[in-house]
Amino acid sequence: MERFVLPPEPLTNEAIANRLTNTAINNIDKGLIKKQNLVYLELNGCSGNIISLLNGNNPDFAYMLNSMVNLRYSNSLMAAEGEQAMEKLMNALEEDYILAVEGAVALKNNGLYNVIGSWKGEPLTGLQAATMLGEKASHILAVGACATHGGVSAARPNPSESVGLQTVLPGKKLIKLPGCPVHPDWFLGTLAHLLLYGEPDTDNLDRPLMFYSTLIHDRCPRRPFFDRGIFAEKLGDKTCLFKLGCRGPVTRVDCPTRQWNGHVNWPIGDNTPCIGCAQFGFPDAMAPFISYDTTRVVKDE
């Protein structure tokens, strides 16, 4: 059973991530803390999380990379390619580093369903990279649904035999940031907390409480409709979307107050149900994403 903790009021909007990142950058500029190395590893997935991070703002992801960390490897962002890129990845093992991983780990055929490069003439699988880098990392961030529990990559029928990162690093402490994709603030805020104070407080599923403590349902602006039994009958209706399959009542994350795309909107604000992408078990446990309840709909009179 998940631990429920209602966060203090300052954590109910996007300000917490902004404060953390700005404080970390200011302390680095003043020499109070040092930049740390970051290895960002993409495994079996769609690269949706790195794309989401590049859409972050205040601060944006590029500013974070230049001001908060030394990016030692990222196959999407680095200029090097081929063996040169793999050499940079291997050189990172000689230093202290924080490891961020998006994507699931493919186990099929000893990991050959996900090859991230070639090293000394041999394919380097995501499985090899995850275990090798995970063993030496000072901290590990599992970024997005695929990394935290398998996500879409491990959805039925799962031909690649994909699993979450924890499965191949059973003895390691992971900070898990579920979401499909992860919100830029969840990643940047957690990274800044690591630089400033060490690991943030987490729940029993290893999710940072500052982002994942409260049900969407408890902060949803349409909660009054739910309490009065006024439910939407079709997509586009501006009442409670519960009977259309909304997963807000079982999903713990701060989308209602944080919002997306520069903090301007989120799915329910755009009249579509929450599909529970930030909850463990997504997508299989959250399907079907849209359903039409046959019980009586109470209309507002």
Side-chain angles (χ1 to χ4, degrees), residues 28 79 120 125 155 170 211 222 239 245 272:
I28 289 171
K120 295 183 177 179
T125 67
F211 301 123
R222 301 192 185 193
T239 52
T272 61

Side-chain angles (χ1 to χ4, degrees), residues 28 34-41 64 68-74 89 92-93 95-101 133-134 136-143 173 175 177 187-188 190-200:
I28 289 171
K34 293 182 179 181
K35 282 187 180 182
Q36 294 191 35
N37 298 324
L38 175 68
V39 174
Y40 194 99
L41 188 64
M64 181 277 293
M68 290 173 59
V69 297
N70 302 307
L71 184 63
R72 293 305 189 212
Y73 176 86
S74 166
L89 180 62
L93 290 165
E95 306 173 301
D96 292 330
Y97 58 89
I98 295 170
L99 175 64
V101 178
L133 290 159
K136 293 189 175 183
S138 60
H139 302 282
I140 304 173
L141 303 178
V143 184
K173 164 69 174 178
I175 301 172
L177 306 173
F187 177 81
L188 293 175
T190 302
L191 181 62
H193 198 289
L194 281 175
L195 299 178
L196 288 166
Y197 313 116
E199 294 184 357

Side-chain angles (χ1 to χ4, degrees), residues 9-298:
E9 190 59 27
L11 302 185
T12 60
N13 53 45
E14 71 276 6
I16 182 64
N18 189 16
R19 287 201 303 270
L20 283 169
T21 50
N22 286 338
T23 301
I25 290 169
N26 288 336
N27 285 0
I28 289 171
D29 289 342
K30 294 176 182 178
L32 300 176
I33 60 175
K34 293 182 179 181
K35 282 187 180 182
Q36 294 191 35
N37 298 324
L38 175 68
V39 174
Y40 194 99
L41 188 64
E42 293 178 55
L43 302 182
N44 195 28
C46 66
S47 299
N49 293 287
I50 195 70
I51 293 171
S52 176
L53 295 178
L54 290 173
N55 284 329
N57 63 354
N58 195 28
D60 61 32
F61 193 57
Y63 184 67
M64 181 277 293
L65 291 180
N66 291 324
S67 303
M68 290 173 59
V69 297
N70 302 307
L71 184 63
R72 293 305 189 212
Y73 176 86
S74 166
N75 56 297
S76 286
L77 303 180
M78 65 194 306
E81 57 187 43
E83 292 262 351
Q84 289 183 332
M86 290 297 99
E87 184 175 3
K88 290 184 178 294
L89 180 62
M90 295 303 174
N91 288 341
L93 290 165
E94 306 302 319
E95 306 173 301
D96 292 330
Y97 58 89
I98 295 170
L99 175 64
V101 178
E102 79 166 85
V105 184
L107 302 182
K108 187 71 173 288
N109 290 359
N110 294 319
L112 285 174
Y113 274 49
N114 176 222
V115 175
I116 67 169
S118 178
W119 177 244
K120 295 183 177 179
E122 297 291 332
L124 180 66
T125 67
L127 173 59
Q128 290 172 309
T131 53
M132 176 178 60
L133 290 159
E135 286 301 321
K136 293 189 175 183
S138 60
H139 302 282
I140 304 173
L141 303 178
V143 184
C146 290
T148 57
H149 59 274
V152 174
S153 297
R156 293 186 294 267
N158 193 8
S160 60
E161 297 179 6
S162 287
V163 296
L165 185 62
Q166 189 77 75
T167 300
V168 301
L169 296 172
K172 299 291 288 187
K173 164 69 174 178
L174 271 61
I175 301 172
K176 297 173 183 175
L177 306 173
C180 192
V182 73
H183 194 292
D185 288 359
W186 305 339
F187 177 81
L188 293 175
T190 302
L191 181 62
H193 198 289
L194 281 175
L195 299 178
L196 288 166
Y197 313 116
E199 294 184 357
D201 291 336
T202 56
D203 64 10
N204 61 316
L205 297 177
D206 300 318
R207 301 172 296 186
L209 287 169
M210 57 187 172
F211 301 123
Y212 294 91
S213 62
T214 306
L215 289 170
I216 283 178
H217 189 61
D218 291 337
R219 290 179 175 169
C220 181
R222 301 192 185 193
R223 176 63 183 268
F225 291 114
F226 176 88
D227 293 339
R228 294 172 62 191
I230 304 171
F231 298 104
E233 298 182 62
K234 62 183 184 302
L235 296 178
D237 288 352
K238 297 185 181 300
T239 52
C240 178
L241 298 166
F242 175 72
K243 291 192 176 183
L244 293 181
C246 181
R247 298 296 185 262
V250 296
T251 303
R252 294 191 185 279
V253 78
D254 61 6
C255 291
T257 54
R258 186 167 305 282
Q259 305 193 2
W260 291 73
N261 298 325
H263 311 293
V264 299
N265 206 351
W266 65 301
I268 292 175
D270 202 36
N271 295 318
T272 61
C274 166
I275 62 174
C277 79
Q279 193 68 359
F280 282 80
F282 174 85
D284 288 347
M286 298 295 152
F289 297 150
I290 302 294
S291 61
Y292 291 92
D293 195 287
T294 58
T295 60
R296 183 175 64 92
V297 176
V298 179

